[in-house]
Structure formats: C-alpha cells, structure tokens
Amino acid sequence: MDEKKGKHFGEANGGIDGIYNGGKDVTHSDSESRSSESSDGGEGKRETWSNQLDFLLSCIGFAVGLGNVWRFPYLCYDNGGGAFLVPYVIMLFVAGLPLFYLELAFGQFASLGAVAIWKISPIFTGVGIGMIIIAALVAIYYNVIIAWTIYYLIRSCTTEALPWSTCGHEWNTAQCFNESMNYTKEERANLTRPSDEFWHHQVHKITDGIHDLGGIRLELLGCLALAWIIVYLCVFKGIKSSGKVVYFTALFPYVVLIILLGRGASLPGAGKGVEFYINPKFEFLLDAKPWKDAANQIFYSLGISFGSLTTMASYNRFHNNCQRDALIVSFCNCGTSILAGFVVFSTLGFMSVDSDRDISEVAASGPGLAFIVYPEALAKMEPLPQLWAVLFFLMLLTLGLDSMFAMMETVTTVIMDALPNRYRRWKWLIILGACFVGFLLGIPLVTQGGLYVLTIMNDYAGGFSLMVISICYCVAICYVYGLNRFGGDIKSMLGSLPNIYWKACWAVVSPLAMVVVVIASFIFYAPSGYNKQVFPPWAQGIGWVLTLLSFITIPLYAIFAIIFRTDSSFSILERIKTLLRPTWDWGPAIDKHRIEAGYDPLPADGAPPSPLEMKSNSVFETKKPHVALISSASMVDQEDSKDLYCYDQSVQVDFD
C-alpha cells in the first residue's frame, strides 16, 4: 500500500476509533447498543408504533397542550386581536411547519433518540443534549401544573358551592368580596375576589417573595406524587402503553372544548367577549412584539427543539409519510388554539357582564386564567357548576399528560439508546427512576413560595434556548451534512425529494427568522416577576443559568469531543473534520433500508468494518458502498428473519 493510501486508511479508521474510543480499538461491547438497532429479534428490538394513528395522536397530544388554552387567547387579545393571526400564520409557515417536518424526518430516518441521532455529525451532539435538558426542566415544572389541576379537580367534586366561589372560608381575608356584596366600583379596586384568595391563600399559602420558600404544601405534594404515578403508569411500557392512552387524552379535550364553547355561547355577554378577542387592530403589527410573541408561541405550542418530535418519529416505520403527519399536526394545533380563544373569551365576556367589569380587567394569561379567572366563571354557570368545573379540569389534566408522555419518552429514550442491548428489558425500571427523580426535583415547586420558582423556570427554561438550538439544528443538517444529501435520505423514505419550499425554509428562511427573533428577545427583554413584582437580580441570575444550561452544551461538547473523542495523533483541523463527518454506522437502523438509501449494511457483530470495507464518509462525497453487496431486492425481509446481511464478493477499494 502506498503512503497516500495508508494515510487515508489511517484517517478513516482513526476517525471512527477516535470518535468512540480515543483512537483505541473498539470492542464488541462498545458497539453493542447500535447493533441492537439492526437486530430484529428478542429484547434488543426497537419498538415501533402499533399503527400510525398512535403516532399521529401522540404528536397532536404533545403539540396541543396547556399553552393553547391559557396562553394563545391572551396573546391574541394583547397583540391586536384578530390582527395577531397575521404574524402567527406567517411564523407557522416560515419556521414552525418546516422545522416540525425537519425533526420528524430526521428522527424517522435514523430511528434514534435526540442525542444518539447526532452520529450524523458528532461535533453537534451538544444540540441533542441541550434538547434533553430543556425537556427535563419543562417536565419538572409541567407536572407541578398537573398537580395543581388534580388538586382543583378533587376540590370540584363536592355537592356544596365550589370553594373558590364564596368568601367566609378560613383562608379568606377581610378584603374578600363577590357580587352578592354591595360595593361600588371604586371600593372594589382595593378588594380581592374569592377565586384569587383561594389560589394564593389556600392552594399555595403564598409567602411574601421568592426569598422565602416557606414550608412544603402537603396537599400539593400528594397531588404531585399522584401526577408522577399517573405518568409512570401510562409510559412504563414505552410507546406500547402511551400510544394507547392518547386515544383518550388527545381526543377528550376536543369534546370538552366543544361542550364549553356551546355553553359559553349561550351565556349573556358571550358576543362581547368574542368581539374583544377577534376585533383586529392592525396598527399593532407595526411593533416587533406581536412577531416575537407569535414565534415564541409557535415554538412552545408545536414543541420544536424539545427533542420529543425526533424521539416519537424514531419509532415510526421507515416509509411512513412524515410530511403528511407534519401538516396534519401543525394545522390541528393552530386550529385548536383559535378554537380555545373562542371558548375562553365567550366565557370572559359573560364574566365581564355578570361582574360589571371591563373585559380587560378579567382577561389573564397562564395560571391566572386557568386557576383564578376561569374557575370563577365556572362557578357562575348554573345549574351544576361542579360539573363544568370537573370537565374543565379534566380537560387541563389530559392536555398536560399528553405533553408529559412525550417529554418523559424523550428523556428515557436517550438513556436507553446509550445502554447496551441487554439492558433494554429494564426500561420500566429506567422510567421509574426518571419519574422518581422528577418528583424529588419538583418538591421545591410545591412549597409556599413554589409558585415563584415555577414562574422563573417557565420564563427562562425555554424560549431563547429553543431558538438557538433550532438555528444549530438547521446549520448542522443543511450545511455540514448537506441539504441535498438529507433530501436524498428523505427520498429513500417517502419516494420523492422535498420541494423548494421545504429546502428554502430549512437552509435560509427559518434560520434567519430565528436569528431575528433571538435579537428581538434581547431588545425586548423584560425581567421575570409575579403579580406585578419583579424578582430580585439574584433570582434573574438563576433564570439565566437555566437558559445557559441548555445551549452552552453545544460549544462545551464540541470542545470535549475535539480533545477526548478523537485520535490524539490528529491535528486540531483533522479532529474537527473527523467530528463533522457522519460516523461509520450512521443511517437507517435496518439493513434493508440502509441499502435502499445507499448505505452499507451493519456488520453482524456491530463492530466497525475493516479499512478495506470502509467508505470515506466525507461530507462532500456521495454515499456509495465500497464493497459489492447483495441487492435489497434479493434480501430476506429482516422484519421476518433473524438472518443478517452477507457480502456477495470482496472487491479492491480505491480511496484516491
């Protein structure tokens, strides 16, 4: 072998070995987890959805969450009413829909979770780690919100008046009032409503500020434990269990929304509320705030950059039409947000008329809407206000659980992808451990000052970080791996290349839009606070640490990989080039699909091929096998057989 060929073999082999084992020989056990992906028998077989409706409903359940009900309607009201739909729809087509499809196609092609999938370009593995951090942080406080919902649901099951509808309880103050009391509008300005006092003085027994967390609220702690038990029971078998639960949790909210819309439309003042909701004020669009809010809502609502879409798609069959699924879920999600706006504002219109207040005084967002304003309106819906309250909180519970299923599956899939084949049968135990850790980390949020902590986490855990991760996502796939190359991967799944709209958005439009939103987020940054009180600087600092946690992993892991995960004999430039390339085992999980897509099958033992069987895998070269293989047409379907591939004949490989 001449010197040039020897050098190339060294680069190829060192690149593989360097990425996985610091330039040393890779053992069979080191590659066991990946070989399990191509194995189709026994405990190592990767799960797939029982049918595609399971996947579709799981995606809808994940995307349609609490934000559709308690955040979108208020954003619409606060940003020009019906005029807000203009930036909302534009952001959907500019960023939301393309990035949603990108994540689904990425996960479905490789059948790997949000971290392991970065075999496509190992230097970007920090992107996947950042996604997992965001999903874990959000799951911690999201289940606390579910715990609040369970608490309200339990308190709604009574034959007496709803506890937040009247004054005179032990938690009420002298400032409590309701419509049965004779006060003027001026006098009411210094008084509080019973629903507000129930939320702050009974549910939380809230302290004076974030500096004082107080004691643990035992009722909320019990509800939090129950929430995690429900999550575990629904996901402990992976998608085989959660994929069936979503038939109820994804569809039930629509039944309740339609019922509440009908009930709200029959109430006096409903028309006034709807008019307030949709009346367009186009002058608002001259400001940057509606555009920033629209982008943030699209990202939060569709669940982009949480890693959950990649994870759920990784359990799809290889030829599933994920483009169709992306369109269905995205439009369904946005339609649900608009429907929820009519439900909420028809009820707020009634509340405005009934309490002789302006709608702007009763409109609220987030927990204020779900646990103060709307429960007060439900208490006025005679007859049987308890029934309406039970339906409403059951709807919130199912909306929250769907999102929790996806986030927990995201976190546990990353752990399972990192473990060898033999540990896959213990997935139930891994999930149990993850739920228990999530419960422990949620305890500070069920203290008397826990509402402040949750507000900090909600304001800083996502948002800015999601945009940064999305930008890196697009750069890695479109410019490092190659847009045309990824388009060819999609063609192997769907039978056709992505059209110009998808390619233009992935490569140019969506990243630029996200850059603009990130800049706007800094320009219009407002410190976090609660109840018109801004948190102190040290609390804001903790919030920024949460923000940095998720995307600082991108450069940190890149530095770590360059130093420790490549051959020490390489120069820095050679190490970077090696880490930018896909690993030797990148591609579809099943050998039949690998050959269809132009990839070499995986060796039977999962170990890296020898140099003569190695393709260079350069980011600038095509994916053509360097050894002659039996054709996919003549292969036995691996889903029905345990036989692995074999070579038809060996050939001389020229790497020049």
Side-chain angles (χ1 to χ4, degrees):
M1 184 184 299
D2 60 33
E3 183 179 350
K4 184 177 179 182
K5 287 186 178 181
K7 182 176 184 296
H8 199 118
F9 282 138
E11 287 180 359
N13 208 24
I16 295 166
D17 296 346
I19 291 172
Y20 286 100
N21 212 20
K24 301 177 182 178
D25 290 338
V26 179
T27 65
H28 175 71
S29 60
D30 291 329
S31 51
E32 220 175 5
S33 64
R34 180 55 177 172
S35 67
S36 70
E37 296 300 321
S38 59
S39 170
D40 29 49
E43 296 162 351
K45 183 179 179 182
R46 188 177 183 84
E47 295 175 287
T48 57
W49 299 99
S50 298
N51 59 71
Q52 286 312 120
L53 188 57
D54 291 6
F55 168 69
L56 193 62
L57 289 178
S58 295
C59 284
I60 291 173
F62 170 63
V64 178
L66 296 172
N68 296 73
V69 174
W70 75 16
R71 193 164 185 265
F72 175 83
Y74 182 81
L75 287 178
C76 209
Y77 146 72
D78 195 42
N79 288 285
F84 180 68
L85 294 179
V86 174
Y88 184 71
V89 172
I90 289 176
M91 284 298 174
L92 170 66
F93 284 99
V94 164
L97 182 56
L99 295 177
F100 193 94
Y101 177 31
L102 181 67
E103 284 200 43
L104 291 187
F106 191 32
Q108 180 173 305
F109 180 75
S111 298
L112 289 170
V115 174
I117 201 168
W118 288 99
K119 293 180 179 185
I120 190 175
S121 185
I123 202 168
F124 285 96
T125 301
V127 174
I129 297 173
M131 288 179 165
I132 299 308
I133 291 174
I134 291 177
L137 288 174
V138 173
I140 291 169
Y141 76 77
Y142 212 82
N143 225 25
V144 173
I145 298 174
I146 293 176
W148 297 343
T149 304
I150 292 174
Y151 181 84
Y152 268 79
L153 180 60
I154 294 172
R155 297 301 298 265
S156 299
C157 298
T158 177
T159 56
E160 301 177 356
L162 293 171
W164 53 81
S165 63
T166 60
C167 299
H169 301 282
E170 59 179 350
W171 60 81
N172 291 128
T173 67
Q175 284 73 41
C176 180
F177 87 99
N178 56 30
E179 278 65 38
S180 63
M181 302 177 181
N182 190 19
Y183 288 104
T184 65
K185 278 191 174 183
E186 292 74 17
E187 291 173 325
R188 292 179 183 178
N190 297 319
L191 301 176
T192 54
R193 306 187 72 81
S195 58
D196 185 285
E197 294 202 345
F198 179 81
W199 169 248
H200 289 111
H201 301 320
Q202 170 59 17
V203 178
H204 295 285
K205 297 188 184 297
I206 198 164
T207 58
D208 294 332
I210 196 172
H211 60 279
D212 179 16
L213 291 184
I216 296 175
R217 294 285 296 116
L218 294 180
E219 297 96 328
L220 295 183
L221 183 66
C223 291
L224 180 63
L226 179 58
W228 278 110
I229 290 172
I230 293 173
V231 169
Y232 173 74
L233 292 176
C234 292
V235 303
F236 80 102
K237 288 186 177 179
I239 60 172
K240 297 300 182 185
S241 55
S242 64
K244 301 307 177 186
V245 176
V246 293
Y247 280 84
F248 173 74
T249 57
L251 298 176
F252 180 74
Y254 289 97
V255 175
V256 177
L257 281 174
I258 293 172
I259 292 174
L260 290 177
L261 179 62
R263 180 67 176 117
S266 67
L267 297 172
K272 177 184 176 182
V274 170
E275 181 182 358
F276 201 82
Y277 167 53
I278 64 174
N279 183 34
K281 304 179 184 67
F282 291 105
E283 62 273 14
F284 278 67
L285 302 185
L286 300 176
D287 190 7
K289 183 177 178 297
W291 300 88
K292 177 181 73 72
D293 287 347
N296 285 331
Q297 177 62 16
I298 285 291
F299 264 71
Y300 266 111
S301 187
L302 287 176
I304 297 169
S305 294
F306 281 81
S308 299
L309 299 176
T310 301
T311 300
M312 290 190 291
S314 74
Y315 297 111
N316 273 339
R317 290 174 172 81
F318 187 72
H319 294 295
N320 173 61
N321 191 343
C322 53
Q323 176 179 297
R324 173 205 60 202
D325 295 341
L327 292 168
I328 292 174
V329 176
S330 297
F331 292 143
C332 183
N333 172 73
C334 295
T336 304
S337 295
I338 295 171
L339 172 64
F342 283 99
V343 173
V344 168
F345 273 88
S346 63
T347 305
L348 293 183
F350 157 70
M351 192 172 172
S352 169
V353 170
D354 187 74
S355 61
D356 192 25
R357 290 182 290 169
D358 191 83
I359 292 183
S360 61
E361 296 180 41
V362 298
S365 177
L369 174 66
F371 298 106
I372 299 177
V373 176
Y374 212 87
E376 182 179 345
L378 293 170
K380 301 176 184 295
M381 292 186 181
E382 298 290 349
L384 296 177
Q386 298 87 347
L387 173 62
W388 301 113
V390 167
L391 285 175
F392 177 74
F393 290 114
L394 271 177
M395 179 187 71
L396 291 186
L397 177 62
T398 53
L399 286 172
L401 285 175
D402 282 333
S403 300
M404 279 300 302
F405 297 161
M407 288 185 283
M408 286 304 299
E409 190 64 45
T410 300
V411 174
T412 55
T413 295
V414 167
I415 300 173
M416 297 309 301
D417 281 345
L419 292 175
N421 173 23
R422 60 181 176 272
Y423 292 111
R424 289 180 178 269
R425 60 177 175 171
W426 300 106
K427 183 173 183 177
W428 66 271
L429 189 59
I430 300 294
I431 295 175
L432 179 62
C435 289
F436 183 67
V437 171
F439 168 72
L440 294 179
L441 294 176
I443 290 177
L445 280 69
V446 293
T447 59
Q448 290 174 276
L451 183 56
Y452 302 126
V453 180
L454 186 141
T455 302
I456 284 282
M457 294 184 69
N458 184 52
D459 290 345
Y460 285 99
F464 174 80
S465 303
L466 297 175
M467 310 293 175
V468 174
I469 286 176
S470 291
I471 294 169
C472 294
Y473 210 99
C474 291
V475 169
I477 293 177
C478 296
Y479 295 101
V480 178
Y481 182 67
L483 180 59
N484 290 333
R485 193 175 182 181
F486 185 65
D489 293 339
I490 291 178
K491 183 179 180 180
S492 69
M493 294 190 296
L494 306 186
S496 61
L497 291 168
N499 60 39
I500 188 64
Y501 163 71
W502 300 116
K503 289 185 175 181
C505 286
W506 293 338
V508 180
V509 179
S510 297
L512 286 180
M514 293 305 97
V515 169
V516 172
V517 172
V518 168
I519 294 172
S521 298
F522 276 108
I523 295 175
F524 295 96
Y525 166 73
S528 181
Y530 181 77
N531 209 16
K532 300 181 180 179
Q533 293 184 354
V534 177
F535 295 134
W538 64 265
Q540 309 291 346
I542 293 175
W544 279 109
V545 168
L546 295 177
T547 299
L548 290 172
L549 274 178
S550 54
F551 70 85
I552 198 66
T553 57
I554 301 173
L556 287 182
Y557 185 87
I559 295 170
F560 168 79
I562 291 170
I563 297 173
F564 298 107
R565 304 292 280 180
T566 51
D567 196 319
S568 58
S569 65
F570 285 9
S571 68
I572 295 296
L573 182 59
E574 288 173 327
R575 296 183 187 195
I576 293 174
K577 288 174 65 177
T578 298
L579 290 166
L580 286 171
R581 298 169 182 165
T583 62
W584 67 274
D585 55 349
W586 160 253
I590 298 178
D591 287 338
K592 181 179 72 171
H593 299 146
R594 292 180 69 85
I595 294 177
E596 289 176 4
Y599 291 78
D600 292 339
L602 294 170
D605 61 0
S610 65
L612 279 176
E613 298 168 341
M614 179 60 58
K615 60 187 178 182
S616 67
N617 239 351
S618 168
V619 292
F620 302 109
E621 296 180 10
T622 58
K623 311 181 296 293
K624 298 298 182 184
H626 290 287
V627 288
L629 308 172
I630 59 176
S631 69
S632 60
S634 64
M635 289 183 66
V636 178
D637 190 342
Q638 289 192 3
E639 294 181 1
D640 300 319
S641 171
K642 294 184 180 180
D643 294 334
L644 295 173
Y645 79 95
C646 63
Y647 287 111
D648 186 27
Q649 60 178 336
S650 297
V651 298
Q652 179 65 38
V653 182
D654 184 7
F655 285 97
D656 290 336

